[in-house]
Amino acid sequence: MRRTLYTEDHEQYRDTVREFLHREVVPHYERWEQEQLIDRGVLASARKAGLLGLEVPEEFGGSGVHDYRFRAVVCEEAARAHVTSFDVTLGLQDDLVLHYLTDLTTPEQRRRWLPGFATGDVIGALAMTEPGTGSDLQGIRTTAVRDGDAWVLNGQKTFISSGSSADLVIVAARTDPDAGSRGFSLFVVEDGMPGFTRGRKLAKIGLHAQDTAELFFTDVRVPAANLLGGEGRGLANLMSHLPRERMGIVVQAMAGARAVFEDTRRYVFDRRAFGSAVGDFQATRFALAEMATELDVAQAFADQCVLAYNAGELTPVDAAKGKWWISELQKRIVDRCLQLHGGYGYMTEYPVARAFVDTRVQTIYAGTTEIMKEIIGRDLAS
């Protein structure tokens, strides 16, 4: 099926992205996976090449481009190059942190923080999840108490992507225990603030180069000027920004599933068994036919989500539909493709093996499949 999502500008941009990835990322990627950390300098290089921070306003050194199709191109090319951890890191900056800092900041805060994102010299993180609190944001225990011209922050966060390397961390904290959903606020904690410490890098089954850490806050005095988005607005601001985060998962999952499928399609016609190419067996052809159909149908929905987002019309419900369905599809596609590789699919030298562990988290973070269904179900019930 012919896609009509992209223009010539996007395809020219694709050439730039592909060349950058193969020059600056692919040669170092295995080392990053082993060290569980991506070199900071590559983010600055990615910004100069236009892969990162396109939405930073021009007045702060960015391009001011608001077209999610460019981000989708990066996802597709990163999937083809098998550098998933790198793309997740870019997505964390563009789909989460930067989106908060362009939407919720005061003019003074923008002047302080956005120029660093424009150059790629500042890395951000979003700290919501706690040891006992995942999707249930109202269960957050981290507290912030006003004390003069500062807030005193205490608590712990876990599973924080880029937690080891972040210069700025957007932290969700409870500021009024009696105010219900209006009792939460967001704060920007900066590297070096006394009482802000980082724990160990968490050992994950996949996405090894994407550092994930525990964060600790012990009587951290956060200046009142670092309150983000208004007191008591924390939960509402988190909820309003989840569709963009889930949009990122939709595009990443779609690109990842497609890349693994194309790799497998080539593999089964190169691999021979019982005197024939594996792809010549009817069972294999049927499997490929089913996956190709599912991917094309899902791609149509994903592309419509991108266009809806660009038009400001992507609803939380549609983002939830795309997030759960396409991430679950990716899980099925990767598993089936690994099976078609036979024993070689279990070897990490084959991209499908790494994809098997890298993509498993897609149905979990940014809201589990079960939470997505609950969002959709509540909308139907209303």
Side-chain angles (χ1 to χ4, degrees):
M1 180 179 293
R2 180 175 177 271
R3 293 177 72 190
T4 59
L5 180 65
Y6 298 118
T7 68
E8 183 60 30
D9 286 344
H10 299 104
E11 296 305 334
Q12 291 177 1
Y13 177 71
R14 185 184 301 279
D15 293 337
T16 299
V17 173
R18 185 182 297 126
E19 192 276 333
F20 176 88
L21 292 174
H22 284 279
R23 185 186 72 246
E24 303 283 350
V25 178
V26 173
H28 310 288
Y29 191 73
E30 196 61 44
R31 174 173 59 83
W32 295 344
E33 286 278 289
Q34 294 171 4
E35 295 176 355
Q36 298 183 54
L37 192 67
I38 293 170
D39 291 343
R40 287 184 65 98
V42 75
L43 296 183
S45 297
R47 176 62 193 96
K48 291 175 183 176
L51 275 70
L52 180 66
L54 289 179
E55 293 187 56
V56 176
E58 292 183 46
E59 62 186 297
F60 301 111
S63 303
V65 174
H66 299 280
D67 181 349
Y68 200 81
R69 289 175 292 183
F70 289 105
R71 172 76 190 121
V73 168
V74 174
C75 289
E76 290 172 2
E77 291 307 313
R80 291 189 180 110
H82 309 299
V83 291
T84 308
S85 291
F86 180 72
D87 187 48
V88 169
T89 298
L90 297 186
L92 171 67
Q93 302 307 304
D94 275 355
D95 290 333
L96 276 77
V97 180
L98 180 57
H99 199 41
Y100 279 81
L101 296 183
T102 54
D103 286 358
L104 303 178
T105 43
T106 65
E108 184 274 333
Q109 289 173 333
R110 293 189 191 98
R111 286 193 295 271
R112 274 199 286 152
W113 297 324
L114 289 182
F117 277 86
T119 61
D121 293 321
V122 171
I123 298 174
L126 181 63
M128 291 189 287
T129 306
E130 299 183 359
T133 302
S135 297
D136 179 16
L137 295 177
Q138 295 205 48
I140 288 173
R141 296 182 184 180
T142 297
T143 61
V145 178
R146 186 65 184 259
D147 181 24
D149 61 354
W151 291 82
V152 180
L153 189 67
N154 282 282
Q156 178 182 353
K157 300 291 182 177
T158 193
F159 305 150
I160 308 306
S161 299
S162 292
S164 299
S165 54
D167 304 290
L168 302 176
V169 182
I170 299 172
V171 181
R174 186 182 292 273
T175 48
D176 186 344
D178 301 318
S181 63
R182 294 188 61 83
F184 302 88
S185 304
L186 302 179
F187 299 89
V188 175
V189 176
E190 301 179 59
D191 184 36
M193 286 184 171
F196 170 38
T197 57
R198 308 167 201 255
R200 60 192 172 94
K201 290 180 189 175
L202 299 176
K204 310 188 298 291
I205 65 171
L207 295 177
H208 294 145
Q210 212 299 304
D211 64 292
T212 304
E214 298 171 312
L215 304 179
F216 302 92
F217 309 92
T218 305
D219 293 331
V220 180
R221 291 188 65 83
V222 182
N226 282 30
L227 175 69
L228 184 66
E231 183 179 349
R233 294 286 302 161
L235 197 59
N237 288 329
L238 289 171
M239 298 301 292
S240 68
H241 285 74
L242 283 171
R244 167 67 180 251
E245 181 180 1
R246 289 164 183 162
M247 177 77 253
I249 304 299
V250 167
V251 173
Q252 286 180 348
M254 193 71 244
R258 176 79 68 183
V260 167
F261 171 77
E262 293 297 342
D263 283 347
T264 304
R265 184 164 69 110
R266 288 188 290 270
Y267 175 83
V268 296
F269 288 105
D270 288 337
R271 176 73 173 163
R272 299 186 67 80
F274 304 104
S276 300
V278 172
D280 287 336
F281 300 134
Q282 186 183 63
T284 304
R285 293 201 306 271
F286 277 18
L288 293 175
E290 291 167 6
M291 289 189 286
T293 303
E294 287 186 291
L295 286 168
D296 282 350
V297 171
Q299 188 75 69
F301 185 83
D303 288 355
Q304 286 302 307
C305 284
V306 171
L307 294 175
Y309 179 80
N310 276 356
E313 297 171 354
L314 180 65
T315 67
V317 172
D318 282 344
K321 288 177 180 177
K323 197 275 178 184
W324 89 261
W325 177 261
I326 297 178
S327 65
E328 291 285 351
L329 172 64
Q330 181 187 25
K331 187 169 68 173
R332 294 197 307 275
I333 294 286
V334 171
D335 183 72
R336 202 166 189 185
C337 286
L338 191 151
Q339 186 73 18
L340 288 174
H341 276 75
Y344 288 103
Y346 204 65
M347 302 296 109
T348 56
E349 65 189 272
Y350 282 79
V352 69
R354 180 167 285 168
F356 186 76
V357 291
D358 279 351
T359 62
R360 183 58 186 85
V361 73
Q362 296 275 63
T363 62
I364 298 173
Y365 60 14
T368 64
T369 292
E370 292 73 23
I371 292 295
M372 297 303 98
K373 292 178 181 179
E374 181 65 17
I375 291 170
I376 299 162
R378 287 182 181 180
D379 179 71
L380 294 172
S382 68

